[in-house]
């Protein structure tokens, strides 16, 4: 009797597993890339029940319906901002070679923001100087200060910024801060308490909680780093509000851009959209989107991407830019987990004679990601891509240059998480002098890096290669 019951339970369990496999074989490939589908189905085949549980939690890279419905209201609610930006006298097409005109038009189609002239762009690679500059600009603010950061820590750096915000609020400046609930979870309670006591309006982006009525998914994060002061000065890039040496074993090296001019209004609009999504409050006062007379300066535009922007994938832009390149591509990223489209773009670029370089840190702070990205190096080296392994600090900077014409700087890594799951923001600059200044930073990276060779890289142990290839299977899920 006992044996027959055990056999019945075993049969039911086996039937359940195969039912999950069959159903997931139909469900998983729907609106999903082949790489992602392959990874999910591999997991389902070997561990069907755990795979189903994971899929129900993080299987779809979309926000809940209430958030999508709220986001759909934004164009109408932010009418003043949209009208000011799209009808600006600064709207001007960049002067580009024919091979790069289509990628430039793609950006506007994806993100809805036009190219705006009249901007001054400053590259900021000194970690402490960047914090000094942000604090200084906050101290001079007269009307508004808006900050949106993935990490806002209650450490020496964070307290400096919080004190500047408090002083600004006491002067009557409208100060608003958004911090990602998961990225800043170690400090969020104290940061919110301190900023609120200073009179600063602060909210957590995408809060998570089992009992929370509108809890966000833990893996869909707001990864942006934005500061906008008086609708005139904007900051965007890779650096968070946290000490560079918070972890003594991982000292961060970053790169941000300080931009003054009309493109700051596009950063303002991204912040206003995120603020509305978290608070249901509309920031559309004309004072936040002022009109300015046309002037000189470089052409730039902003691309916001993420699950809120289903058609605005920064990955599409990166692939298009590489396909348009004719001379030189340099990609700097701490995390490199490409999809098939990006790998093919890199391969065809090299075959066209384009000099393609990838700069990645020698050490990363995520072991599985590190192993997954290293599994791609053999393929890249075989293509002819130069892989530079940066020594010393953890190079957390994220930027790309195309020929001598276009620079892309922002919060997005070159991985599937940034391309699909995270809310990201990128500044695209169409200016040879800006690209040249950024290339000076890239040249410095080259000098501090080891250039991988195909022969030496293939001498890794069988165990190392096996672990890397297993991690690669999970790449679309990272």
């Amino acid at each position: 009797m006992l044996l027959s019951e055990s056999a019945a339970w075993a049969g039911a369990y086996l039937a359940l597993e195969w039912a999950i496999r069959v159903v997931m074989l139909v469900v998983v490939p729907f609106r999903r890339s082949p790489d992602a589908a392959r990874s999910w189905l591999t997991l389902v085949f070997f561990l069907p029940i755990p795979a189903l549980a994971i899929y129900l939690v993080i299987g779809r890279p979309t926000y809940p319906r209430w958030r999508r419905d709220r986001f759909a209201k934004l164009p109408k609610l932010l009418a003043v901002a949209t009208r000011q930006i799209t009808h600006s006298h600064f709207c001007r097409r960049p002067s580009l070679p024919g091979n790069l005109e289509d990628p430039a038009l793609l950006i506007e189609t994806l993100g809805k923001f036009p190219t705006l002239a009249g901007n001054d762009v400053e590259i900021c690679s000194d970690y402490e100087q960047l914090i000094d500059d942000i604090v200084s600009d906050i101290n001079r603010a007269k009307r508004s200060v808006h900050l949106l950061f993935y990490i806002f820590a209650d450490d020496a750096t964070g307290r400096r910024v919080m004190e500047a915000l408090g002083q600004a609020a006491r002067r009557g400046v409208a100060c608003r801060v958004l911090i990602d609930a998961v990225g800043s979870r170690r400090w969020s309670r104290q940061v919110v308490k301190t900023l609120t006591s200073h009179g600063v309006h602060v909210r957590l982006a995408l809060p998570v909680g089992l009992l929370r009525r509108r809890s966000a998914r833990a893996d869909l994060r707001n990864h942006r780093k934005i500061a906008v002061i008086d609708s005139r000065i904007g900051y965007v890039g890779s650096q968070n509000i946290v000490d560079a040496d918070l972890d003594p074993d991982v000292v961060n090296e970053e790169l941000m851009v300080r931009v003054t001019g009309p493109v700051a209004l596009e950063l303002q609009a991204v912040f206003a959209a995120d603020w509305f999504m978290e608070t249901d409050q509309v920031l559309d006062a004309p004072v936040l989107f002022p009109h300015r007379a046309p002037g000189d300066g470089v052409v730039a535009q902003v691309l916001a991407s993420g699950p809120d922007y289903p058609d605005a994938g920064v990955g599409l832009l990166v692939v298009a830019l590489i396909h348009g390149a004719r001379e030189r591509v340099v990609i700097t990223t701490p995390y490199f987990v490409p999809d098939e489209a990006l790998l093919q773009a890199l391969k065809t670029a090299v075959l066209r004679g384009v000099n393609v370089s990838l700069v990645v840190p020698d050490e990363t702070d995520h072991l599985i990601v590190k192993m997954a990205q290293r599994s791609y190096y053999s393929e890249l080296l075989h293509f002819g891509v130069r892989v530079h392994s940066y020594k010393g600090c953890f190079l957390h900077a994220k930027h790309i240059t195309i020929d001598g014409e276009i620079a892309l700087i922002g919060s997005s890594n070159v991985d599937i998480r940034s391309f699909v799951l995270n809310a990201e923001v990128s500044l695209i600059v169409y200016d040879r002098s800006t690209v040249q200044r950024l290339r000076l930073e890239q040249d410095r990276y080259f000098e501090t890096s080891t250039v991988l060779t195909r022969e030496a890289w293939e001498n890794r142990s069988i165990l190392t290669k096996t672990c890397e290839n297993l991690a690669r299977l999970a790449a679309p899920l990272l």
Side-chain angles (χ1 to χ4, degrees), residues 75 78-92 108 112-117 262 265-266 289-294:
L78 295 179
V80 172
T82 303
R83 184 167 57 252
Q84 179 57 35
I85 293 170
T86 58
H87 296 166
S88 171
H89 293 298
F90 287 96
C91 282
R92 190 178 308 163
E108 185 172 343
K112 311 306 180 186
F113 289 134
T115 49
L116 298 174
L265 298 184
E266 296 185 348
F289 298 93
H291 172 78
R292 293 187 179 90

Side-chain angles (χ1 to χ4, degrees), residues 67 181-182 204-209 212 214-217 221 278:
R67 186 178 177 95
V182 173
L204 298 180
L206 301 171
V208 176
R212 183 178 291 273
R214 288 183 168 179
S215 175
R217 270 177 41 180
R221 307 317 315 157
E278 303 302 337

Side-chain angles (χ1 to χ4, degrees), residues 143-190:
R143 294 182 301 277
S144 64
V145 175
H146 292 156
L147 304 185
L148 164 57
F149 284 87
Y150 178 65
I151 298 176
F152 197 128
D154 181 35
D155 58 11
T157 297
R159 287 190 285 273
R160 283 191 63 200
V161 176
M162 287 190 283
E163 180 58 32
L165 287 166
Q167 293 177 6
R170 288 189 287 274
R171 295 196 309 271
V173 177
C175 297
R176 301 178 180 92
V177 174
L178 269 174
I179 58 178
D180 185 80
V182 173
S184 301
R185 63 186 179 278
R186 290 172 55 184
W187 311 276
S188 60
R189 181 172 298 181
Q190 186 58 45

Side-chain angles (χ1 to χ4, degrees), residues 334-403:
Y335 309 115
F336 181 80
V337 183
D339 56 15
E340 188 62 28
L342 178 55
L343 284 175
Q344 290 303 314
L346 293 170
K347 179 179 180 178
T348 57
V350 173
L351 291 174
R352 294 195 311 272
V354 179
N355 185 332
V356 180
S357 294
L358 170 68
V359 184
V360 289
D362 184 62
E363 294 295 334
T364 69
D365 53 353
H366 294 289
L367 178 60
I368 295 179
V369 176
K370 172 184 176 179
M371 291 191 297
Q373 78 176 34
R374 291 190 174 199
S375 73
Y376 291 94
Y377 293 171
S378 293
E379 198 169 352
L380 295 175
L381 294 171
H382 177 73
F383 291 164
V385 174
R386 291 174 62 86
V387 179
H388 302 258
S389 182
Y390 187 79
K391 305 292 184 180
C393 296
F394 174 49
L395 185 61
H396 191 247
K398 313 158 196 292
H399 49 82
I400 300 172
T401 57
I402 305 295
D403 296 344

Side-chain angles (χ1 to χ4, degrees), residues 167-239:
Q167 293 177 6
R170 288 189 287 274
R171 295 196 309 271
V173 177
C175 297
R176 301 178 180 92
V177 174
L178 269 174
I179 58 178
D180 185 80
V182 173
S184 301
R185 63 186 179 278
R186 290 172 55 184
W187 311 276
S188 60
R189 181 172 298 181
Q190 186 58 45
V191 169
V192 170
K193 180 180 178 181
T194 300
L195 289 174
T196 301
S197 69
H198 286 334
V200 176
H201 303 283
V202 57
R203 295 290 188 278
L204 298 180
L206 301 171
V208 176
L210 291 176
L211 301 179
R212 183 178 291 273
R213 178 171 171 264
R214 288 183 168 179
S215 175
R217 270 177 41 180
D219 63 321
L220 299 183
R221 307 317 315 157
N222 193 322
H223 194 241
R224 297 175 180 134
K225 291 92 177 171
I226 295 174
V228 184
I229 295 93
D230 284 343
S231 305
R232 183 179 60 87
I233 301 170
Y235 290 87
V236 63
S238 67
Q239 187 167 332

Side-chain angles (χ1 to χ4, degrees), residues 14-25:
L14 185 62
L16 175 62
E17 286 194 329
W18 276 104
I20 292 172
R21 290 186 179 110
V22 171
V23 171
M24 295 292 271
L25 186 62

